[in-house]
Amino acid sequence: MSHFKSKYHDELIANAAYIGTPGKGILAADESTGTIGKRLASINVENVESNRRALRELLFTAPGALQYLSGVILFEETLYQSTASGKPFADLLKENGVLPGIKVDKGTVELAGTNGETTTQGLDGLGQRCAKYYEAGARFAKWRAVLKIGPNEPSELAIHENAYGLARYAVICQENGLVPIVEPEILVDGPHDIHKCAAVTERVLAACYKALNDHKVLLEGTLLKPNMVTPGSDSPKVSPQVVAEHTVRALQRTVPAAVPAVVFLSGGQSEEEASLNLNAINQVKGKKPWSLSFSFGRALQQSTLKAWAGKEENVKKAQEALLVRAKANSEATLGTYKGNSQLGEGASESLHVKDYKY
C-alpha cells in the first residue's frame, strides 16, 4: 500500500483542496503567547488574554476579509476563545467558509553537536491533542521545522531530523482527521545569494518528500508551506521575477504533483514585497501542478496592527488595512496583483527578525 488509509481519507483530500482554492489563502494567527506579546509590545499594548482575544476578534470579524481566506491557523488558546458576543471563533470562521487550523508543535530545541541547528518538539501526545482539536472544530494543523544556511549548514543531521519529524507529525495528523501543513522553513538570515538558497531549498524539500513517502503519508491530504527562494537578509535584493523563477524551479524539481497546494510563508518580507513575489510566482510560465498561495502571519497583520494600536476607535481602520492586504494576496494567487500605491503604514517595512522564533 503506497499510503496510509485513514478513515478521514476523503475528508482530508477535500479539505486540502479547499484550502488551495485559487484566490484564497491562509492567515497565520497562531503566534504563541510570547510572540504575540512582542507584536503587542510594538504598539504599547499589554500582553494579556483580553488584548490577545481583541486582536484576533478584530482580524476574524474584518468586513470582507474572510472571502479571501480559506483557512486561519490558530494558537491553542484562540481555538477555545469566543467573540465579545459569545460566538466561538471556530464557529465564526466556519460560517464564513474558512477552515480553522491549529499550531501543534512545541517549539524548537538545539541539536547537540551542531552549530546552533534545531529540531522541533511536540510528537509526544500529539495524537490525543489532534483528536481533541478535531473535536473543537480544527481541520488542519501546522508544524514548523527551522533550518538555517551557513558555511556548513544545514547539516545532513538537521535536514534528516526535521524531515522525519515533519513526516511523523503529518501521519499522526491524518490519523486524527487534520490536514498537515508541512513547513520546513529555511531562514533568510545570512549573506548567501539566491543560488545557495535554491540549492538548499531543493535538498531540504527532496528530503521531506522522501520522509513523507517512507511514512506512507497521503500527499493529496497535505499542504506544503515553504520559504520563497530569495537571497539572504545580508545580500542585495533581486526582482520579484528572479525570486519567482528560482522558487518555481525548486518546487518543480522536488514537490510531487499529488500535493494540491503550496502556501508560502512570508519569512520576514515586508507586506508589499511578499505580495509582489507571490504575484510573480503565479505569473511564471511552465508546469505548476499545484495551487500557489499564501500562509502569511506578519505579512498580513503588520499594517493592521499599526492602525489598531490597541484602541477601540481604530478597529474599523485596522480592519480596512487587513482587507487591503488580504485582497492584494488574493490577487497575487491569480497573478493579477498590480501593486498598491496606497500603502498602509507598515506595509513596506521589513519584518525580518534574526533567528525568528514563532
Side-chain angles (χ1 to χ4, degrees), residues 61-109:
T61 59
L66 294 186
Q67 65 182 311
Y68 301 120
L69 302 175
S70 50
V72 171
I73 314 173
L74 307 170
F75 188 59
E76 185 173 31
E77 174 184 79
T78 321
L79 180 63
Y80 296 99
Q81 284 174 326
S82 301
T83 64
S85 61
K87 183 184 279 287
F89 283 151
D91 293 349
L92 171 72
L93 293 170
K94 281 183 173 164
E95 284 169 16
N96 285 278
V98 178
L99 294 180
I102 179 79
K103 170 191 166 80
V104 298
D105 70 70
K106 297 285 189 185
T108 58
V109 288

Side-chain angles (χ1 to χ4, degrees), residues 307-326:
W308 177 49
K311 298 185 172 72
E312 183 62 39
E313 63 268 25
N314 292 339
V315 165
K316 188 170 180 293
K317 188 171 88 169
Q319 291 181 324
E320 285 164 1
L322 176 66
L323 179 59
V324 167
R325 294 323 312 171

